[in-house]
Amino acid sequence: QVQIVESGGGLVQPGGSLRLSCAASRVFFFSGYNMAWYRQAPGEQRELVAAITSGGSTNYADSVKGRFTISRDNAKKTVYLQMNNLKPEDTAVYYCNAKLRNEYWGQGTQVTVSS
């Protein structure tokens, strides 16, 4: 069973930065997985934030374009989400998703943007 563990969340002031990490374990052929970050704010539906394919193509939600960057290190079986110029509306639990033939989710990491 593939395990996904997110880390790097926390409390940050508006305009600040955070880098989230998503580490996969018990996974064979991590480089073949399409990876993504989702987020869910209280009372809201889970939404796609950023995704990166096995080939390295990326796409972003309009609300984070130009501020967030997704990347992957296949040797470390890790995906990152660099978040800059954070806004209060970025506050949410951020989840990592791994998809190949099956789909796996992490437990989430809380990001709070507040002064």
Side-chain angles (χ1 to χ4, degrees):
Q1 178 80 4
V2 174
Q3 290 188 337
I4 303 292
V5 178
E6 303 98 333
S7 61
L11 173 64
V12 63
Q13 292 187 342
S17 298
L18 283 174
R19 189 176 81 154
L20 305 183
S21 297
C22 165
S25 60
R26 301 182 181 180
V27 60
F28 178 74
F29 191 45
F30 173 81
S31 60
Y33 278 77
N34 293 322
M35 304 295 295
W37 286 96
Y38 288 75
R39 68 186 180 188
Q40 187 168 19
E44 302 289 334
Q45 290 196 347
R46 192 172 295 190
E47 63 173 356
L48 176 67
V49 176
I52 184 166
T53 68
S54 58
S57 298
T58 60
N59 68 282
Y60 299 90
D62 287 343
S63 59
V64 307
K65 281 181 181 176
R67 300 189 297 123
F68 290 11
T69 302
I70 188 171
S71 61
R72 64 191 298 160
D73 185 334
N74 290 330
K76 295 183 178 180
K77 299 182 181 179
T78 300
V79 173
Y80 304 98
L81 185 67
Q82 178 67 43
M83 306 186 295
N84 298 327
N85 189 23
L86 282 159
K87 304 176 180 180
E89 51 264 41
D90 295 318
T91 295
V93 178
Y94 284 70
Y95 297 92
C96 182
N97 174 272
K99 187 184 299 184
L100 188 55
R101 283 181 289 277
N102 296 316
E103 189 171 22
Y104 304 94
W105 293 90
Q107 82 291 346
T109 185
Q110 176 71 47
V111 172
T112 302
V113 185
S114 175
S115 55

